[in-house]
């Protein structure tokens, strides 16, 4: 099993360079698909990187920083920053080295708009990227171990089997499930022999990753068990303080700017999958900051060891997601890649996991007021939708390695492959497997 990694290189943009940077980034995109990268663009040809699932360039700006004034806090200055982030197979460092080797001229041109590039103390592009990498507090992978290569091979398998099944179904008989499967398996072997299909066996799980993952799986519950007496003592005081803050939090029911909505909408629905980037302030005070960090610690554990095979709570449409703290943990950035429209994405969370939204975002400025942490908040639909759109920022360049495939498609294709490699153990499961094709 090959695990997935994330990267996020982030640095402030030089004063007066934003417009020039945006024009350069726009050259990476397809002619009509706003914000969607040409895989063969001249700056960073994403399509050349066989381990890359998703990538994006986003300029992180704070245009609504004044909202924190409602909490009696003076807004902190924020210099717009260029962030280059993505999700890849295998370890991050080797992938960054691959990026530096194959896309150095383009990346150098893009990062030249950033403060401190080139760094006089740096040994080159790779060292600079590593020094400006930001580790996420929490990340989510739809299916840990499902590689880009596997996705492409299984999609080709489904396409080939589907076409062949249409040709032979009437001749063999749609009720002759065993004979149909034998015909399909013979077809697969012929296609593999001809080099038109590949089903590469999974790589061994890296030993270091396996040990680290096991240590995390055991270590976090063990730590919580050890500190549980202290947590029980703190719990009443935490609940009291939380409720006091919830009652005193200012309500910011502000409609998003129409022009801002149009800018965001122009980048959406060019494919079955969309991107999402939001940025905002963490509510002031050490209580909110530590609470946010603790919730993300638990979320990271759940994403890595519970919700790691196709779903997050009851949500099945997310491919990758991450939560990142910036500006000495005073600001938070969230990015995700999801299937369907923006509206359906929001409705999915409100209806299926509103409590999860409240836990992971209610410590952010502007979020609708919650009650006892998990109640209200996202359930106040219009206030929530206004808030998330106000804090959403445009993604300048976005890349997906397998366009037109949803997370549901990937799961179906994997099940088809499993049925090729392992015989279904009943007639009912045989018919179910054929129905997937």
């Amino acid at each position: 099993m090959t695990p997935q990694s994330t990267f996020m290189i982030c640095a402030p943009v030089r004063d007066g360079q934003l417009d020039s940077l945006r024009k350069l980034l726009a050259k990476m995109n397809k002619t009509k698909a706003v914000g969607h990268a040409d895989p063969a663009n001249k700056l960073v040809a994403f399509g050349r990187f066989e381990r890359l699932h998703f990538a994006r360039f986003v300029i992180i700006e704070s245009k609504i920083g004044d909202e924190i004034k409602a909490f009696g806090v003076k807004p902190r200055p924020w210099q717009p920053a260029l962030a280059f982030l993505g999700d890849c197979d295998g370890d991050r460092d080797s992938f960054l080295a691959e990026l530096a080797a194959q896309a150095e001229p383009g990346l150098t041109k893009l990062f030249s708009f950033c403060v401190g590039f080139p760094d006089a103390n740096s040994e080159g592009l790779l060292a600079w990227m590593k020094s400006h990498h930001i580790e996420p507090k929490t990340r989510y992978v739809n299916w840990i171990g499902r590689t880009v290569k596997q996705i492409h091979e299984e999609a080709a398998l489904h396409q080939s089997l589907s076409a062949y099944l249409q040709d032979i179904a009437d001749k063999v008989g749609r009720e002759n499930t065993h004979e149909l499967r034998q015909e399909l398996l013979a077809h697969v072997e012929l296609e593999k022999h001809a080099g038109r299909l590949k089903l590469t066996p999974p790589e061994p799980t890296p030993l270091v990753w396996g040990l680290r993952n096991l240590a995390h799986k055991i270590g976090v519950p063990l730590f919580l068990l050890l500190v549980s007496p202290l947590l029980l003592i703190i719990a009443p005081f935490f609940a009291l303080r939380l409720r006091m803050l919830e009652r005193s939090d200012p309500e910011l029911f502000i409609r998003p700017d129409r022009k801002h909505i149009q800018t965001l909408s122009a980048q959406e629905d060019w494919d079955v999958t969309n991107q999402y980037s939001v940025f905002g302030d963490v509510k002031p005070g050490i209580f909110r900051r530590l609470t946010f960090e603790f919730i993300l610690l638990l979320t990271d554990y759940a994403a890595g060891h519970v919700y790691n095979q196709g779903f997050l709570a009851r949500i099945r449409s997310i491919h990758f997601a991450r939560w990142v703290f910036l500006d000495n943990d005073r600001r938070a950035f969230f990015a995700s890649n999801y299937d369907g429209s923006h509206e359906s994405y929001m409705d999915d969370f409100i209806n299926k996991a509103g409590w999860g939204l409240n836990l992971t975002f209610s410590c952010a400025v502007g979020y609708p007021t919650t009650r006892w942490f998990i109640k209200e908040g996202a359930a106040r639909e219009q206030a929530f939708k206004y808030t998330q759109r106000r804090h959403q920022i445009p993604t300048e360049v976005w890349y997906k390695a397998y366009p037109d495939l949803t997370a549901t498609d990937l799961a179906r294709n994997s099940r088809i492959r499993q049925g090729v490699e392992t015989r279904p153990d009943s007639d009912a499961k045989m018919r179910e497997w054929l129905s997937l094709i």
Side-chain angles (χ1 to χ4, degrees):
M1 192 261 296
T2 301
Q4 282 66 52
S5 300
T6 66
F7 63 89
M8 180 174 175
I9 296 97
C10 185
V13 179
R14 300 178 192 273
D15 292 336
Q17 296 294 306
L18 271 180
D19 289 342
S20 298
L21 175 57
R22 282 200 171 94
K23 289 177 182 177
L24 182 61
L25 290 169
K27 293 180 179 179
M28 300 174 67
N29 293 323
K30 297 175 184 176
T31 306
K32 294 182 179 179
V34 180
H36 285 239
D38 176 357
N41 75 84
K42 295 181 179 179
L43 288 171
V44 184
F46 298 112
R48 294 172 57 187
F49 300 95
E50 296 180 353
R51 296 162 52 193
L52 183 63
H53 288 261
F54 289 88
R56 75 182 71 182
F57 282 95
V58 57
I59 296 175
I60 303 177
E61 290 187 271
S62 179
K63 294 186 176 180
I64 51 176
D66 287 351
E67 285 186 358
I68 203 168
K69 286 181 179 178
F71 290 81
V73 175
K74 183 179 179 181
R76 288 170 56 86
W78 172 262
Q79 188 167 353
L82 173 65
F84 175 36
L85 56 149
D87 308 278
C88 63
D89 295 321
D91 69 286
R92 178 185 65 244
D93 287 347
S94 67
F95 184 76
L96 289 180
E98 188 180 339
L99 273 172
Q102 297 191 33
E104 182 173 7
L107 288 172
T108 298
K109 195 170 184 180
L110 289 164
F111 290 135
S112 67
F113 289 89
C114 296
V115 174
F117 184 87
D119 189 339
N121 298 319
S122 174
E123 296 178 359
L125 173 65
L126 179 58
W128 188 88
M129 289 196 296
K130 287 182 177 181
S131 68
H132 287 78
H133 173 264
I134 301 175
E135 195 72 26
K137 287 291 181 181
T138 302
R139 67 188 185 97
Y140 168 75
V141 179
N142 179 272
W143 194 291
I144 295 176
R146 181 183 283 148
T147 65
V148 177
K149 178 187 284 188
Q150 178 184 343
I151 289 168
H152 286 311
E153 289 180 353
E154 291 175 353
L157 173 67
H158 172 232
Q159 187 176 21
S160 180
L161 287 177
S162 180
Y164 188 65
L165 182 60
Q166 291 180 33
D167 289 340
I168 67 168
D170 292 332
K171 182 173 64 176
V172 175
R174 295 179 183 274
E175 297 304 315
N176 297 330
T177 55
H178 293 274
E179 189 174 344
L180 280 173
R181 183 172 185 273
Q182 291 305 314
E183 289 283 347
L184 291 172
L185 293 183
H187 171 71
V188 170
E189 291 304 314
L190 286 172
E191 292 296 288
K192 287 166 66 175
H193 182 73
R196 289 186 289 267
L197 278 181
K198 282 187 177 181
L199 293 176
T200 306
E203 297 285 338
T205 303
L207 179 61
V208 173
W209 183 90
L211 292 173
R212 190 189 309 122
N213 188 60
L214 180 61
H216 187 260
K217 187 175 184 178
I218 298 172
V220 172
L222 183 60
F223 169 76
L224 293 176
L225 181 63
L226 291 173
V227 300
S228 58
L230 178 61
L231 294 177
L232 287 173
I233 294 171
I234 293 174
F237 302 99
F238 172 84
L240 179 63
R241 180 57 178 162
L242 173 68
R243 193 68 192 118
M244 288 174 60
L245 289 172
E246 287 179 332
R247 287 179 173 178
S248 63
D249 279 349
E251 190 70 66
L252 301 172
F253 192 79
I254 306 169
R255 185 187 295 270
D257 179 72
R258 183 181 295 273
K259 187 176 180 181
H260 179 62
I261 296 288
Q262 290 173 344
T263 300
L264 297 172
S265 298
Q267 298 182 340
E268 296 167 352
D269 300 332
W270 291 95
D271 183 52
V272 293
T273 305
N274 280 306
Q275 51 69 37
Y276 184 63
S277 305
V278 289
F279 178 62
D281 291 283
V282 177
K283 289 178 180 177
I286 190 68
F287 179 88
R288 263 352 198 310
R289 197 181 308 173
L290 291 179
T291 299
F292 205 170
E293 295 219 22
F294 182 70
I295 292 298
L296 290 185
L297 170 71
L298 298 181
T299 304
D300 186 62
Y301 183 86
H305 305 292
V306 181
Y307 302 119
N308 58 9
Q309 292 196 327
F311 60 94
L312 178 61
R314 294 164 57 201
I315 313 297
R316 296 180 178 271
S317 59
I318 304 172
H319 292 263
F320 291 87
R322 74 182 73 196
W323 288 257
V324 182
F325 281 157
L326 300 170
D327 192 20
N328 294 320
D329 295 351
R330 290 182 173 86
R331 288 183 167 95
F333 173 78
F334 173 80
S336 66
N337 304 285
Y338 65 92
D339 297 325
S341 68
H342 178 87
E343 192 71 14
S344 68
Y345 180 49
M346 291 300 116
D347 288 341
D348 238 11
F349 267 101
I350 292 170
N351 297 326
K352 297 178 181 178
W355 59 271
L357 285 174
N358 293 345
L359 284 174
T360 52
F361 290 103
S362 63
C363 290
V365 171
Y367 194 85
T369 303
T370 56
R371 183 162 55 89
W372 297 116
F373 222 171
I374 60 173
K375 295 187 176 183
E376 297 185 15
R380 301 170 61 193
E381 181 178 349
Q382 201 58 60
F384 168 72
K385 288 183 175 179
Y386 279 177
T387 295
Q388 57 85 23
R389 271 302 204 189
R390 258 192 354 266
H391 289 83
Q392 187 178 353
I393 54 179
T395 295
E396 307 294 331
V397 179
W398 181 70
Y399 168 76
K400 178 187 177 186
Y402 28 93
D404 301 327
L405 290 176
T406 66
T408 301
D409 293 331
L410 305 188
R412 176 204 61 211
N413 294 346
S414 290
R415 290 177 64 194
I416 291 172
R417 176 180 181 169
Q418 185 178 10
V420 168
E421 297 177 339
T422 306
R423 180 186 176 88
D425 57 11
S426 68
D427 288 341
K429 289 187 177 180
M430 185 84 75
R431 285 192 291 272
E432 182 183 354
W433 177 73
L434 288 169
S435 71
L436 294 173
I437 299 172

